[in-house]
mmCIF file of all heavy atoms in Angstrom:
data_model
loop_
_atom_site.group_PDB
_atom_site.id
_atom_site.type_symbol
_atom_site.label_atom_id
_atom_site.label_comp_id
_atom_site.label_asym_id
_atom_site.label_seq_id
_atom_site.Cartn_x
_atom_site.Cartn_y
_atom_site.Cartn_z
ATOM 1 N N PHE P 116 6.289 0.746 -75.866
ATOM 2 C CA PHE P 116 6.380 1.615 -74.694
ATOM 3 C C PHE P 116 7.781 1.539 -74.092
ATOM 4 O O PHE P 116 8.410 2.560 -73.796
ATOM 5 C CB PHE P 116 5.326 1.199 -73.669
ATOM 6 C CG PHE P 116 5.428 1.917 -72.358
ATOM 7 C CD1 PHE P 116 4.836 3.158 -72.184
ATOM 8 C CD2 PHE P 116 6.113 1.346 -71.298
ATOM 9 C CE1 PHE P 116 4.944 3.817 -70.972
ATOM 10 C CE2 PHE P 116 6.227 2.005 -70.086
ATOM 11 C CZ PHE P 116 5.634 3.240 -69.925
ATOM 12 N N TYR P 117 8.255 0.311 -73.939
ATOM 13 C CA TYR P 117 9.582 0.080 -73.361
ATOM 14 C C TYR P 117 10.646 0.802 -74.180
ATOM 15 O O TYR P 117 11.479 1.553 -73.640
ATOM 16 C CB TYR P 117 9.826 -1.428 -73.354
ATOM 17 C CG TYR P 117 11.046 -1.899 -72.620
ATOM 18 C CD1 TYR P 117 11.585 -1.161 -71.568
ATOM 19 C CD2 TYR P 117 11.650 -3.107 -72.955
ATOM 20 C CE1 TYR P 117 12.688 -1.621 -70.888
ATOM 21 C CE2 TYR P 117 12.754 -3.570 -72.272
ATOM 22 C CZ TYR P 117 13.281 -2.825 -71.251
ATOM 23 O OH TYR P 117 14.376 -3.284 -70.585
ATOM 24 N N ALA P 118 10.610 0.590 -75.507
ATOM 25 C CA ALA P 118 11.609 1.213 -76.369
ATOM 26 C C ALA P 118 11.508 2.731 -76.316
ATOM 27 O O ALA P 118 12.527 3.437 -76.272
ATOM 28 C CB ALA P 118 11.430 0.724 -77.799
ATOM 29 N N LEU P 119 10.273 3.247 -76.278
ATOM 30 C CA LEU P 119 10.087 4.702 -76.260
ATOM 31 C C LEU P 119 10.658 5.313 -74.992
ATOM 32 O O LEU P 119 11.341 6.344 -75.039
ATOM 33 C CB LEU P 119 8.597 5.018 -76.349
ATOM 34 C CG LEU P 119 8.088 5.363 -77.736
ATOM 35 C CD1 LEU P 119 6.580 5.487 -77.725
ATOM 36 C CD2 LEU P 119 8.733 6.652 -78.222
ATOM 37 N N VAL P 120 10.388 4.666 -73.847
ATOM 38 C CA VAL P 120 10.912 5.208 -72.587
ATOM 39 C C VAL P 120 12.428 5.217 -72.616
ATOM 40 O O VAL P 120 13.075 6.179 -72.202
ATOM 41 C CB VAL P 120 10.388 4.394 -71.385
ATOM 42 C CG1 VAL P 120 11.056 4.845 -70.109
ATOM 43 C CG2 VAL P 120 8.889 4.553 -71.255
ATOM 44 N N MET P 121 13.016 4.152 -73.155
ATOM 45 C CA MET P 121 14.471 4.098 -73.220
ATOM 46 C C MET P 121 15.034 5.127 -74.197
ATOM 47 O O MET P 121 16.197 5.492 -74.113
ATOM 48 C CB MET P 121 14.945 2.700 -73.627
ATOM 49 C CG MET P 121 14.641 1.612 -72.629
ATOM 50 S SD MET P 121 14.755 2.114 -70.913
ATOM 51 C CE MET P 121 16.477 2.386 -70.755
ATOM 52 N N LEU P 122 14.188 5.566 -75.136
ATOM 53 C CA LEU P 122 14.604 6.639 -76.049
ATOM 54 C C LEU P 122 14.503 7.984 -75.338
ATOM 55 O O LEU P 122 15.342 8.877 -75.538
ATOM 56 C CB LEU P 122 13.714 6.611 -77.297
ATOM 57 C CG LEU P 122 13.878 7.763 -78.287
ATOM 58 C CD1 LEU P 122 15.221 7.664 -78.983
ATOM 59 C CD2 LEU P 122 12.762 7.742 -79.320
ATOM 60 N N LEU P 123 13.477 8.120 -74.486
ATOM 61 C CA LEU P 123 13.231 9.413 -73.841
ATOM 62 C C LEU P 123 14.329 9.771 -72.840
ATOM 63 O O LEU P 123 14.697 10.929 -72.709
ATOM 64 C CB LEU P 123 11.873 9.398 -73.124
ATOM 65 C CG LEU P 123 10.650 9.362 -74.020
ATOM 66 C CD1 LEU P 123 9.382 9.370 -73.205
ATOM 67 C CD2 LEU P 123 10.660 10.537 -74.987
ATOM 68 N N PHE P 124 14.849 8.757 -72.140
ATOM 69 C CA PHE P 124 15.828 9.066 -71.106
ATOM 70 C C PHE P 124 17.079 9.748 -71.642
ATOM 71 O O PHE P 124 17.455 10.809 -71.151
ATOM 72 C CB PHE P 124 16.195 7.802 -70.322
ATOM 73 C CG PHE P 124 15.327 7.607 -69.125
ATOM 74 C CD1 PHE P 124 14.487 6.526 -69.024
ATOM 75 C CD2 PHE P 124 15.351 8.536 -68.086
ATOM 76 C CE1 PHE P 124 13.672 6.358 -67.924
ATOM 77 C CE2 PHE P 124 14.543 8.368 -66.979
ATOM 78 C CZ PHE P 124 13.697 7.281 -66.902
ATOM 79 N N PRO P 125 17.718 9.183 -72.678
ATOM 80 C CA PRO P 125 18.897 9.884 -73.213
ATOM 81 C C PRO P 125 18.532 11.269 -73.729
ATOM 82 O O PRO P 125 19.305 12.210 -73.562
ATOM 83 C CB PRO P 125 19.355 8.971 -74.351
ATOM 84 C CG PRO P 125 18.782 7.646 -74.036
ATOM 85 C CD PRO P 125 17.490 7.907 -73.325
ATOM 86 N N LEU P 126 17.336 11.396 -74.340
ATOM 87 C CA LEU P 126 16.943 12.706 -74.863
ATOM 88 C C LEU P 126 16.777 13.698 -73.721
ATOM 89 O O LEU P 126 17.060 14.885 -73.863
ATOM 90 C CB LEU P 126 15.642 12.588 -75.657
ATOM 91 C CG LEU P 126 15.780 11.808 -76.962
ATOM 92 C CD1 LEU P 126 14.450 11.763 -77.702
ATOM 93 C CD2 LEU P 126 16.845 12.440 -77.850
ATOM 94 N N GLY P 127 16.299 13.216 -72.576
ATOM 95 C CA GLY P 127 16.126 14.098 -71.439
ATOM 96 C C GLY P 127 17.424 14.377 -70.719
ATOM 97 O O GLY P 127 17.650 15.485 -70.222
ATOM 98 N N ALA P 128 18.291 13.372 -70.658
ATOM 99 C CA ALA P 128 19.472 13.499 -69.803
ATOM 100 C C ALA P 128 20.714 13.974 -70.558
ATOM 101 O O ALA P 128 21.710 14.323 -69.954
ATOM 102 C CB ALA P 128 19.756 12.164 -69.128
ATOM 103 N N GLY P 129 20.653 13.956 -71.908
ATOM 104 C CA GLY P 129 21.843 14.310 -72.662
ATOM 105 C C GLY P 129 22.606 13.051 -73.032
ATOM 106 O O GLY P 129 22.407 11.996 -72.417
ATOM 107 N N ALA P 130 23.489 13.178 -74.019
ATOM 108 C CA ALA P 130 24.129 11.997 -74.581
ATOM 109 C C ALA P 130 25.391 11.598 -73.816
ATOM 110 O O ALA P 130 26.315 11.035 -74.388
ATOM 111 C CB ALA P 130 24.451 12.249 -76.056
ATOM 112 N N ASP P 131 25.428 11.870 -72.524
ATOM 113 C CA ASP P 131 26.586 11.532 -71.718
ATOM 114 C C ASP P 131 26.581 10.028 -71.425
ATOM 115 O O ASP P 131 25.837 9.554 -70.573
ATOM 116 C CB ASP P 131 26.534 12.352 -70.415
ATOM 117 C CG ASP P 131 27.729 12.065 -69.527
ATOM 118 O OD1 ASP P 131 28.546 11.203 -69.902
ATOM 119 O OD2 ASP P 131 27.827 12.710 -68.477
ATOM 120 N N LEU P 132 27.418 9.284 -72.163
ATOM 121 C CA LEU P 132 27.373 7.826 -72.066
ATOM 122 C C LEU P 132 27.754 7.323 -70.679
ATOM 123 O O LEU P 132 27.220 6.327 -70.200
ATOM 124 C CB LEU P 132 28.293 7.201 -73.110
ATOM 125 C CG LEU P 132 27.600 6.647 -74.360
ATOM 126 C CD1 LEU P 132 28.598 5.899 -75.224
ATOM 127 C CD2 LEU P 132 26.424 5.763 -74.017
ATOM 128 N N ALA P 133 28.664 8.026 -70.015
ATOM 129 C CA ALA P 133 29.077 7.581 -68.684
ATOM 130 C C ALA P 133 27.910 7.655 -67.710
ATOM 131 O O ALA P 133 27.654 6.735 -66.941
ATOM 132 C CB ALA P 133 30.232 8.452 -68.186
ATOM 133 N N LEU P 134 27.202 8.780 -67.787
ATOM 134 C CA LEU P 134 26.039 8.967 -66.905
ATOM 135 C C LEU P 134 24.962 7.930 -67.213
ATOM 136 O O LEU P 134 24.407 7.298 -66.317
ATOM 137 C CB LEU P 134 25.475 10.380 -67.095
ATOM 138 C CG LEU P 134 24.232 10.718 -66.280
ATOM 139 C CD1 LEU P 134 24.599 10.917 -64.830
ATOM 140 C CD2 LEU P 134 23.549 11.962 -66.831
#
Side-chain angles (χ1 to χ4, degrees):
Chain P
F116 173 85
Y117 189 27
L119 262 173
V120 173
M121 295 324 292
L122 173 69
L123 291 181
F124 269 116
L126 292 181
D131 181 357
L132 258 187
L134 178 74

